[in-house]
Amino acid sequence: MRILPWLFLAMLTGCASTLSTQQTARTLAPGQVQVTGGVGAFVPVGTIVRVVEEGREQGREAWDAIVNDRPYALGEEAQQRILTAGVALMASPPGVNPELMLRVGVLDGLDVGVRYSGISLRGDLKVRLAHGGDTVGRYLEPGQRSFDLAMGVGVSRHFFSSPVLDVLEVVEMNDFGRYDIEVPVYLSADWGDIFKLYAAPKYIYSRTRMDARLVDYSQQGKPVSGFDATLPATVGSHFVGSTLGIGVGYRYVHLFAEVTAGYFRTRPQLFGQPRDLGGIAVMPSVGLAIRAGGSDR
């Protein structure tokens, strides 16, 4: 029964949210289409630091025991810290995610998009709240400037594949899923459709639903083994952070480079008590965007 918590972790592995933005606050003109292909690297900085620090601490204690010719024993408190650090790293491991995004201008000041990242499918809309600078249509001419503020909302559905469960053939997952709700605020400045500077503070709420049969199965182990392997029915997490990025190009083609940083907070009930699996995360990403179509206002 001790394997059950690790099955839970195996299902979470590789399921970190795609945090990239790859767009400015300026909405597409009606009928305009933009296709963006990119790649981002997820780096759970806080979790990695926690794992390294715990390893160094236990290494120092082990060395001290050797030097003083006394037995070394890993205390229960140290075991809990190492366990939590390892669980956090398994739940949100470093990784590289490709992505493909399609956006379409619907109305003046409103565009919609869909993004596929290999681990999730996301749909969103963006509404312009304020505009300053020159009045523009599809494109900015050299010398023109545009300053924009917009707000968006997006919903993502994650896809899971667990080779560990497939090999063990312990349980068939038919009712397991994760959904994200993202609320970004976009701020950007465009100069002549040549250079773009943008920021996107954002909040993401994620909800992971466990397979009910797996949860029931986990609850049967404690009376037999005395080990609490109970899994939660749902796990919620929160991300608060911001993207900072630039775009360079002209009219139809732009190269975006950005970095997103923020804090994940999640405290699922694992191994009989709440575990803090959150921490600071960073995601640098790059993308190439191609725009076409639409009509000038």
Side-chain angles (χ1 to χ4, degrees):
M1 289 298 178
R2 288 175 181 263
I3 197 173
L4 284 171
W6 302 107
L7 296 181
F8 168 75
L9 299 176
M11 289 181 285
L12 289 185
T13 299
C15 296
S17 297
T18 300
L19 305 176
S20 62
T21 299
Q22 300 295 339
Q23 59 179 300
T24 70
R26 187 176 158 209
T27 56
L28 298 176
Q32 195 172 34
V33 177
Q34 177 171 297
V35 178
T36 305
V39 62
F42 180 79
V43 184
V45 177
T47 300
I48 293 174
V49 170
R50 186 189 311 174
V51 171
V52 171
E53 286 298 320
E54 289 298 336
R56 291 177 58 186
E57 177 65 24
Q58 294 309 312
R60 286 193 296 264
E61 292 189 12
W63 177 253
D64 184 66
I66 294 173
V67 170
N68 292 282
D69 193 25
R70 59 178 175 80
Y72 168 72
L74 189 63
E76 183 175 348
E77 182 179 349
Q79 292 181 38
Q80 294 293 330
R81 293 199 307 267
I82 294 175
L83 177 64
T84 301
V87 166
L89 187 59
M90 292 183 68
S92 297
V96 176
N97 293 325
E99 60 182 79
L100 180 65
M101 179 168 61
L102 171 67
R103 304 200 66 80
V104 179
V106 179
L107 302 171
D108 184 23
L110 171 67
D111 64 27
V112 299
V114 60
R115 179 180 70 191
Y116 177 70
S117 67
I119 60 172
S120 66
L121 183 65
R122 173 182 180 269
D124 77 291
L125 61 84
K126 181 175 63 183
V127 179
R128 184 179 64 229
L129 301 179
H131 168 76
D134 297 300
T135 300
V136 297
R138 292 179 299 165
Y139 307 107
L140 284 168
E141 299 297 334
Q144 288 186 315
R145 298 179 181 181
S146 179
F147 305 98
D148 298 277
L149 171 66
M151 185 172 183
V153 61
V155 177
S156 303
R157 183 182 187 277
H158 287 246
F159 306 103
F160 295 88
S161 177
S162 178
V164 174
L165 288 178
D166 293 340
V167 172
L168 294 174
E169 296 182 353
V170 175
V171 65
E172 179 182 357
M173 295 188 304
N174 293 323
D175 187 23
F176 182 86
R178 169 174 164 174
Y179 298 87
D180 295 349
I181 298 176
E182 180 178 348
V183 181
V185 176
Y186 305 93
L187 306 95
S188 65
D190 296 61
W191 288 270
D193 240 343
I194 297 172
F195 181 76
K196 305 172 184 292
L197 179 65
Y198 63 95
K202 62 186 65 177
Y203 167 76
I204 302 174
Y205 172 73
S206 302
R207 182 178 183 273
T208 302
R209 185 186 69 252
M210 300 292 292
D211 186 279
R213 290 172 300 174
L214 183 59
V215 174
D216 292 340
Y217 183 63
S218 71
Q219 295 172 350
Q220 300 172 15
K222 187 174 181 179
V224 177
S225 66
F227 181 78
D228 190 346
T230 303
L231 300 180
T234 60
V235 176
S237 68
H238 307 266
F239 173 81
V240 178
S242 182
T243 296
L244 294 176
I246 61 172
V248 293
Y250 185 64
R251 282 186 177 262
Y252 314 106
V253 181
H254 290 86
L255 178 66
F256 288 94
E258 64 181 38
V259 60
T260 302
Y263 184 82
F264 275 103
R265 185 183 186 280
T266 179
R267 289 180 59 85
Q269 186 84 11
L270 292 176
F271 309 109
Q273 67 182 63
R275 303 283 175 177
D276 184 4
L277 306 185
I280 296 173
V282 176
M283 186 171 189
S285 64
V286 295
L288 182 66
I290 301 175
R291 285 185 293 171
S295 59
D296 288 318
R297 290 195 294 267

